[in-house]
Amino acid sequence: MLRYLLRRLLLSVPLLFGVSILTFIVVALVPGDPAVRILGAGHTAAEYQAADARLGLTEPLLVQYWHWLDGVLHGSLGTSLFTIQSVSSTIAQRLPVTVWLIVGATLVSLVAGVALGIASAVWRGPLGRGIDAASWVTFAVPNFWLGLILIEFIAVKAHLLPTSGFVPLGQSSSLWLRSLILPVLTLAAVGVTGVAKQTRDAMDEVRSREFVTALRMAGLPAWTILLRHALRNAAIPIVTTVGLFMIAMLGGTILVEQVFALPGMGSLVVQAATDRDLPVIEGVVLYFTLIVIVLNLLVDLSYAWLNPKVRVAS
Amino acid sequence: MSALSPLDVAGAGAWRGAGDGAAPGGPPTRPRSMLRSLLRDPLGAAGLAVLVIIVVGCAAAPLVAPYSPYASAFTSELSGPTGAHWLGTDELGRDILSRLLYGGQTTLLAAALATAIAVVIGTALGVLGGYLLGLTDRVLTLWGDLLLTIPVLVILIVVVSVFPNSLYPAMLPLGLLLSAAPMRVIRSVTMGIREDLYIDAARVSGLSHWRIMRRHVLPRITGPIVVQATLVASVAVLLACGLAFLGFGVQVPAPSWGTMVAEAASQYQQQPWFLVPTGGIIALTVLSLGLVGDALRDAVTGQWTGSTRTAARYRRPPAAAPAAPELTEGAPAREPGALLVVRDLAVTLPGPSGGTPLVSGVSFDLVPGRTLAIAGESGCGKSVTARALLGVAPPGGWITGSVRLDGAELAGAREAQWRGVRGRRIAFIGQEPMAGLDPTQTVGSALAEVIRAYARCGRREARDRAIHLLRRVSLDDPARVARLYPHQISGGMAQRVTIARALAGDPEILVADEPTTALDVTIQAGILALLRSLQMSSQIALLIVTHDWGVVAGLADDVLVMYAGQAVETAPAQDVFGQPRHPYTEALLRSDPHAATPGAALPVIAGTVPAPGQWPSGCRFADRCGYATPDCTAAEPSLAEAAPGHDARCIHADRVGVTR
Amino acid sequence: MTDAPLLEVRDLSVDFRHGRRAFQALDGVSLDVMPGETVGVVGESGAGKSTLGRAILGLVPVTSGTIRFDGQDITRAGHRERVAIAARLQVVFQDPNSSLNPARTVGSSLAEPLLGQRTERAEIAGRVAAMLTRVGLPPSAAGRYPREFSGGQRQRIAIARALIVSPALVVCDEALSALDLSVQAQIINLLLELRRDLGLAYLFIAHDLAVVRHLASRIVVLRRGQVVERGTAEQVCEQPSDAYTKALMEAAPVPDPAEERARLTARVTLATGAAQ
């Protein structure tokens, strides 16, 4: 098992390289001159040229990439073309927001989704059909639109929660929580129903397996079989689904942060893309990829823990 | 009146028998049949209709839209739905409906482009990997994993910032990134097909790989391809709208669904209605795609729908009083010292005219220290009978008749009562040894769990008892075996573990359903010897269900032969082999190659076994029987005594075997 | 009958590699099948019987050794050679459910070997109908789907498919194992009849000794990829010389109460004696 995980880790390294090279090339293709953006209009060509040279943008692409790579290997992601701030510190400021969003949404999806799924597997009928319907509706409704609706009804009309903005945990834990509730719910909506549906399907599949009948024949109580045995066996497809949703939610944070004006990585990348701020874009892409890799590894780790065949060689 | 349990799930599952039985239908593969199954599902048909309306409406926008998307009317800005503007107007007085129709063109075209790319690449690579396997597959799987690790929206934003005025360039990388999901699915479907024997047969017949793919693989994957296409299209629509919402890829004042949501958001204070049609059209499009995909997936997977549909259509008749436990006509006399007395046992599934019986009128006794074998071929109902003794009926079905354990009536008991009996007084071991064990639980833990369920004892004590049980079933080094998982032990060992679990509650009766069928012959001998020695030491009453007459010969004291849901002959084992009294038993024993001269034609029974629900009236074996006369089909014969202690359901029992 | 064997297997070894681990499925197996003869291959699970059949049919790659068919070395035959072999060497598999494509009609499945042989389209329908009749099914079956038939009938269809090209040798890979006793008897009779009428040779792979005894003139016993015994059916079944074969014969249950009871009692005494 250790070898399996090590292999996955090793494969991630070339991936990070690949993604960074790809991003570099793509952004370098961007027409337009960042210097114009920075200095504003109405300067001479020579001044723009000088600005470009200072920013290192006149050198060949490969050299630029090498400089950046060299920086990364020394722990620095470079400096923003626009704010003079180091990319690493910008990301460090923004990362917690995104992480809270993902962690919160994952927890909500997992807990609510699994509970609903088990409930609908046991008490069939309207609950099951309701979940099917809800899962399609939450998938179909764009999350940015859902966020807007939630803001309108809960924040504006009912004044229950703030409409936007983020309060850091250090400042006030209750305000922090309140600022996260609506965004997390928006992000988790599709996850809850998707996980519920997958849980229900996985439980149904496990329940039709021979060992469940055998345990019933042995006289074990139904709920013990359901929760201790069926759920454990259904856990793997459920975890797979949660993993997929986590990665999808990563993209979702970009939209949700826009709607709720949260200063996270998502809104950072939107701004950087508009500004053609290459170092920031590179840094954000790197971090997003890293997060995906970490999430995948977590999923793989849980497979290994859940599935004895992976844990113990036969 | 079978006990219902939250564990009952509608579906074939453990009730699928081996041997002769019509398999479920193959999935539809041709476009026309797919369309037909789609239209049959009301939700799928509705989804398809809505989708077609939206696509056609947007495509024909110049013809259908009431206004130009750029026509502003400053007198009616931000109005709600009116007669002139069905969906209202935006902040520049432009008609929302028209802008949605024109905007749909960009959005839908972009999504279609991404979907096409994703599906073509995904299918091609998935088929290649799944069919060729080996190195090709490993490389392609790696490629897919890599694709899935790339954060989609981020890359899209980066790409779209290069070409700020159009969504289409971003659709190429989107298609590439989204191809990973269909690739995985198509690959696994192809791998499944690849393992089917008809592929091997085609290779033996000399067909080339290409020909095999075209003939066998591609038709079977058309369904999954379409399903994946709807999924990818849904995601593509949402992502395209998301990009536009963020302000990427669309040049104002060109309309697009995503930008219109952003406009609606900014105008929210003045006109909340604006949000409704703009978000609604996106949701409606994705929803209809999803409904179509779901409906197709159900059709294409070819689910076993039998029991669910009939269960819904037919309800159980109101509970009838259980059959009186005294001697019913033709039932065998009660055996002395009988522990379990079964009379007129019947198991019925929901169906027309009161239900479809699987088993009817079966009666027998179980005596401690003696073995009863229920013998017969597939579909005769022997497994169903065995499970009914533990109160378990096939999904949707119910059990009637009388089952008395030590005088106490069990039939009609509720699930809670049955739980007191299962494992503690009557234990069960099934056919597939490995499948009967929870793969996520060690052997020792599985045993300890049931031990603690039956008797209050601590963890340590339960473990010790578990190891003791493992030793009792002759497993070497029981302490080591207790720490193993089911996948680490052999089939024979697994069956011994199952027997150990059955013994954990110290039952008086052991019901074994084909316990050795899945095992090798040398292992089988060991298991049968084990059952015999356990019986001798604890005087357990053993009921063994089997199709193998050799097993019957070795283990059984008494035999009950079943055919088409009925008991057709009951007798001591010696008498059944020596002088069978029912034509079916006689014919079955004679068709055994053990008894025949090598190379000679075997005496066969013409025809096939009738399926439940299609049993002929009168004697169910008459149309295949060599002794049949017109009287046989007139009325159903009852189980009558043909010789002392030997009953047969045949009016010609006295003539059977006389010619030998 | 000619003297040259139809099928000659010499020192056949097949290894399966799974990552770093290698598993030897067959180890130096040799056997012959003469024209018109039935050779039985018996053994328990893991013995390698199916691998042997599949290697002969070209479905698994061979690590070492040779397979000669009709005098030609087919051990590593390419696609062209396989097409030629397909006219003389065919197969009937075990599972009547998955040996026929459920999405294709019976006629279409039966036509497949003919397609492999580039038979004229006009001829195909006639041969399909003839073959269906030969195996005891109505010619109208060609237009129906496998799901409309019982397991025994589907096995007949599989046999029809194998015989439609008039092969010389048919590999039966556990062809009867999934069938009930009465259905099995019907199919055994069909195989005997076809053998008599068409002069077929069978390589009959099975784990059921009684069935193999009934059909085969010679038997080869496999254990863990190696041949442990070979001889005429009578020799192997009645006077086995190898210890494993003896154990196999002794363990296989026979429908004779007196005999089986005695065996069982002996085994129980042995077991309880050993435990003490």
Side-chain angles (χ1 to χ4, degrees), chain A residues 64 166 177:
Chain A
Q64 287 188 47
F166 174 72
L177 192 65

Side-chain angles (χ1 to χ4, degrees), chain A residues 157-282:
Chain A
K157 285 251 163 68
H159 295 293
L160 282 173
L161 292 163
T163 56
S164 60
F166 174 72
V167 176
L169 180 56
Q171 196 173 319
S172 155
S173 53
S174 72
L175 283 179
W176 164 80
L177 192 65
R178 293 186 75 216
S179 69
L180 276 178
I181 290 181
L182 283 184
V184 164
L185 282 179
T186 310
L187 202 53
V190 67
V192 169
T193 47
V195 169
K197 190 157 185 232
Q198 179 61 269
T199 305
R200 202 252 331 262
D201 288 347
M203 292 288 280
D204 275 350
E205 192 274 323
V206 173
R207 276 191 309 176
S208 67
R209 283 202 225 159
E210 184 70 43
F211 77 84
V212 170
T213 318
L215 288 171
R216 187 177 166 201
M217 302 270 208
L220 289 180
W223 278 105
T224 311
I225 301 179
L226 222 56
L227 293 175
R228 199 186 301 169
H229 296 269
L231 192 57
R232 239 188 348 216
N233 279 274
I236 290 180
I238 295 175
V239 163
T240 311
T241 309
V242 172
L244 286 173
F245 272 110
M246 280 199 294
I247 296 174
M249 276 189 246
L250 200 55
T253 56
I254 298 177
L255 293 158
V256 169
E257 285 174 19
Q258 282 293 105
V259 168
F260 288 91
L262 298 170
M265 302 266 285
S267 40
L268 179 64
V269 79
V270 171
Q271 187 60 45
T274 320
D275 292 340
R276 322 274 189 278
D277 193 343
L278 181 55
V280 175
I281 296 177
E282 277 284 357

Side-chain angles (χ1 to χ4, degrees), chain B residues 267-281:
Chain B
Q267 300 299 322
Y268 192 77
Q269 304 291 0
Q270 284 99 301
Q271 178 52 278
W273 160 259
F274 195 176
L275 262 183
V276 176
T278 46
I281 188 70

Side-chain angles (χ1 to χ4, degrees), chain A residues 136 145 152 207 211 218 229 233, chain B residues 6 268 275 294 435 438 449 454:
Chain A
W136 266 116
W145 191 76
E152 173 51 27
R207 276 191 309 176
F211 77 84
H229 296 269
N233 279 274
Chain B
Y268 192 77
L275 262 183
D294 250 7
D438 181 344
E449 184 183 9
Y454 299 147

Side-chain angles (χ1 to χ4, degrees), chain B residues 532-599:
Chain B
R532 187 85 178 113
S533 79
L534 287 171
Q535 185 183 42
M536 282 175 7
S537 60
S538 7
Q539 290 298 295
I540 288 180
L542 181 61
L543 175 81
I544 180 164
V545 172
T546 181
H547 67 276
D548 186 335
W549 287 96
V551 171
V552 175
L555 223 47
D557 298 303
D558 303 292
V559 181
L560 183 131
V561 182
M562 285 187 72
Y563 180 81
Q566 279 177 323
V568 295
E569 184 157 0
T570 52
Q574 226 93 351
D575 297 346
V576 171
F577 284 99
Q579 181 55 60
R581 295 278 178 190
H582 192 280
Y584 173 64
T585 317
E586 181 196 43
L588 203 54
L589 286 171
R590 279 170 56 195
S591 67
D592 195 323
H594 278 105
T597 327

